[in-house]
Amino acid sequence: MMTETNSLQEILEWYICAGVDEICADEPFFNMPKQVPVMASVAQESVKQNAPANVPVRHATTELAQATQTAFQNAKDICDKVATLDELRCAVEAFEGCALKMTAAHTVFGDGNPQARVVFVGEAPGADEDRIGTPFVGRSGHLLDKMLAAIGLDRTSCYICNILPWRPPGNRTPLDSEIAVCLPFLKKQIDLINPEFIFTLGGSSANALLNTAESISRMRGRWLEYTKSDGSQAKLLASFHPAYLLRTPGQKSKSWADFLRLSKELNKNS
Ligand code: URA
């Protein structure tokens, strides 16, 4: 028989699974969608574990792949119809194809100058970004702001965004399916801003934009090419994520060298 204590514990465990790891408002709330979205971002592992006994795992993963494909196609169709960053922001806020939105407090769209020559791309919002609704405002963001300032940039002269506009519960690593579904929104932001330079923060954003599985240590330190949807190119520099630098300060000198590389290019063509 279930006791009150049991059910309270279960509720708490459910909150933890959903990524509720801190209290940031007096009143609890859940941003539940009006209708159940095409759940592209269900963990493959979880599908395997939770598939009912009579559903073969292969069938469950095929359904996941189909849901991801449908949500990805929806995202692409939406992107084809929008003409401005404001329209794109509204479209992302209204998008119901990624289940991360259900546990997020805010949609974290890009921030900064829409005419910037350089776009910085991180991975996904953390707890502070989710609470405030702006990318890179927590500890990693403070470090990023300092590094930007050191080469004469700030949020009025560059644009900052993430692969994912919603925080993964508990800051877990984004799933490939979540990245795949949200990638059209990132690419559209880049198309609309049309930057000369892209500076990726961490391996996952470089991997997503360049469609490669190369490690960040092999990619960083040299200019790569990103092709926008009109066929024009932006020079892409892959560097470390500020969160990694906070954990591994010994790598800051390499990151600093990357910021200087960017600064040199910006000054060359200004
Ligand atoms: N880490 C990211 O990748 N993006 C943010 O916005 C914050 C932390």
Side-chain angles (χ1 to χ4, degrees):
M1 197 181 79
M2 185 175 287
T3 66
E4 196 171 318
T5 319
N6 280 133
S7 55
L8 279 176
Q9 183 171 340
E10 279 170 6
I11 290 169
L12 274 174
E13 280 169 1
W14 186 86
Y15 275 129
I16 291 165
C17 284
V20 179
D21 50 11
E22 66 179 322
I23 295 169
C24 60
D26 292 337
E27 294 294 326
F29 70 94
F30 268 95
N31 189 17
M32 299 304 257
K34 283 169 221 71
Q35 60 188 58
V36 177
V38 182
M39 295 279 200
S41 51
V42 178
Q44 303 232 357
E45 295 76 2
S46 136
V47 168
K48 285 180 199 154
Q49 281 160 16
N50 299 329
N54 58 348
V55 177
V57 165
R58 199 153 22 94
H59 181 71
T61 41
T62 305
E63 291 215 329
L64 175 72
Q66 278 165 357
T68 300
Q69 181 58 36
T70 305
F72 166 76
Q73 194 54 52
N74 285 345
K76 274 188 78 175
D77 293 346
I78 289 167
C79 287
D80 285 346
K81 289 187 200 118
V82 303
T84 66
L85 271 184
D86 281 342
E87 280 175 26
L88 183 60
R89 177 196 289 271
C90 292
V92 174
E93 282 169 357
F95 186 65
E96 301 270 310
C98 180
L100 288 178
K101 187 182 180 187
M102 290 169 71
T103 47
H106 282 103
T107 298
V108 181
F109 197 69
D111 180 40
N113 186 338
Q115 265 105 43
R117 295 175 64 202
V118 54
V119 170
F120 289 81
V121 186
E123 185 177 273
D128 293 312
E129 291 76 17
D130 183 48
R131 186 164 42 82
I132 294 167
T134 305
F136 282 101
V137 289
R139 279 187 74 219
S140 299
H142 290 150
L143 178 57
L144 176 61
D145 284 340
K146 278 193 207 160
M147 294 176 98
L148 292 176
I151 58 165
L153 293 177
D154 61 20
R155 288 172 195 239
T156 66
S157 51
C158 69
Y159 189 86
I160 301 174
C161 56
N162 283 306
I163 316 174
L164 298 181
W166 297 288
R167 180 195 184 206
N171 291 349
R172 66 158 168 74
T173 303
L175 304 172
D176 288 349
S177 56
E178 291 160 351
I179 292 178
V181 168
C182 295
L183 195 57
F185 297 131
L186 171 61
K187 290 187 163 186
K188 186 71 187 189
Q189 274 178 96
I190 293 173
D191 284 343
L192 290 169
I193 293 162
N194 197 16
E196 291 162 64
F197 305 102
I198 297 172
F199 194 103
T200 57
L201 301 160
S204 56
S205 47
N207 289 155
L209 287 173
L210 299 176
N211 193 20
T212 167
E214 193 93 78
S215 72
I216 181 64
S217 48
R218 287 176 72 95
M219 278 184 295
R220 66 150 291 280
R222 65 202 156 90
W223 285 104
L224 304 165
E225 295 285 354
Y226 171 77
T227 306
K228 297 173 236 175
S229 60
D230 66 358
S232 67
Q233 308 240 296
K235 295 179 85 174
L236 186 151
L237 196 58
S239 192
F240 293 128
H241 194 287
Y244 172 72
L245 298 176
L246 288 169
R247 290 194 305 272
T248 324
Q251 298 284 29
K252 278 187 182 171
S253 57
K254 289 188 187 147
S255 191
W256 177 232
D258 294 334
F259 273 78
L260 289 179
R261 255 180 213 108
L262 170 66
S263 174
K264 196 169 153 198
E265 285 301 305
L266 283 168
N267 292 331
K268 207 195 273 180
N269 303 318
S270 59

